[in-house]
Amino acid sequence: ATFEREPVPMPNEEEDAVSDALLGAIAKNVGDAAMKKASKEASKLGNQVKNMERGLGCLGFIGGVLTAGASFLGMMNILNPLGFVVEAYTFLFGIAIALIEMQNQCLPLSFLERWARFMTTLGGRGVFYVYVGSLSIAKSTFLSFAVGAYMMGVGCLYIISVCRSSSVTEREMTESGGAKGTPV
């Protein structure tokens, strides 16, 4: 007994068009669902970053006020002219930090973008806070050391938050099918 196969009908142009339209609709639906999911996850990540920035901003504001206060007290020693200049710079830096951390209500963002662009990023602020903290520590008084250590700690938290958020972004890109380091 031999089995004869029935000939497989060849698709015609009409069937090809229907098949292409069906595949196109499926691809569009899958793409739309992926975009909605990516948008939802990006929104969650954005909210987490905003909450983190608020907390860090509060710590930075407190540090700015403490830095300005400790430096103001240090400026009372007018017998050391070089120390007075360092205290004056540190005082101005403390005031600037406090103003910047007040959510740019006193200093418009355009001012920062023009004159201190690095302060518009969390990483730039972190490095600046570590610098200001090291200036305070170098003054050799207990109050300045304590304030400087606090500012360096806040600066390190800013830098760590940048590293964590970039690693989270890379991990999410990898999980969602994007290649590491490529724009989405």
Side-chain angles (χ1 to χ4, degrees), residues 5 21-22 27 40 68 74 92 98 109 132-133 136 149-151 168 180 182:
R5 290 174 142 189
L22 184 60
K40 183 179 174 184
L92 292 175
L109 189 59
V132 170
S136 293
Y150 176 82
M151 283 306 294
V168 167
K180 183 177 179 181
T182 59

Side-chain angles (χ1 to χ4, degrees), residues 120-175:
T120 62
T121 67
L122 292 178
R125 286 186 203 172
V127 170
F128 182 67
Y129 294 175
V130 168
Y131 169 73
V132 170
S134 67
L135 274 180
S136 293
I137 285 176
K139 292 187 248 175
S140 302
T141 66
F142 176 75
L143 180 62
S144 294
F145 182 84
V147 170
Y150 176 82
M151 283 306 294
M152 289 181 78
V154 171
C156 288
L157 287 175
Y158 268 86
I159 293 167
I160 289 168
S161 73
V162 170
C163 294
R164 284 190 70 214
S165 67
S166 65
S167 68
V168 167
T169 303
E170 285 182 11
R171 184 176 56 232
E172 286 180 354
M173 281 179 49
T174 304
E175 289 172 358

Side-chain angles (χ1 to χ4, degrees), residues 8-66:
V8 177
M10 297 299 289
N12 60 26
E13 289 179 22
E14 209 174 274
E15 290 173 341
D16 282 344
V18 169
S19 176
D20 287 346
L22 184 60
L23 288 174
I26 291 171
K28 183 180 182 317
N29 287 339
V30 168
D32 288 346
M35 287 301 292
K36 285 179 185 177
K37 177 72 172 168
S39 176
K40 183 179 174 184
E41 293 302 318
S43 177
K44 281 185 196 176
L45 181 63
N47 289 336
Q48 289 174 346
V49 169
K50 282 180 186 176
N51 290 337
M52 179 178 52
E53 285 182 26
R54 277 192 215 116
L56 289 174
C58 186
L59 293 174
F61 176 77
I62 291 168
V65 170
L66 291 173

Side-chain angles (χ1 to χ4, degrees), residues 96-117:
I97 288 169
L99 291 175
I100 288 167
E101 292 299 352
M102 286 176 35
Q103 300 299 319
N104 300 320
Q105 292 181 21
C106 294
L107 283 175
L109 189 59
S110 61
F111 176 83
L112 289 177
E113 287 176 347
R114 179 174 177 148
W115 297 105
R117 188 171 197 90

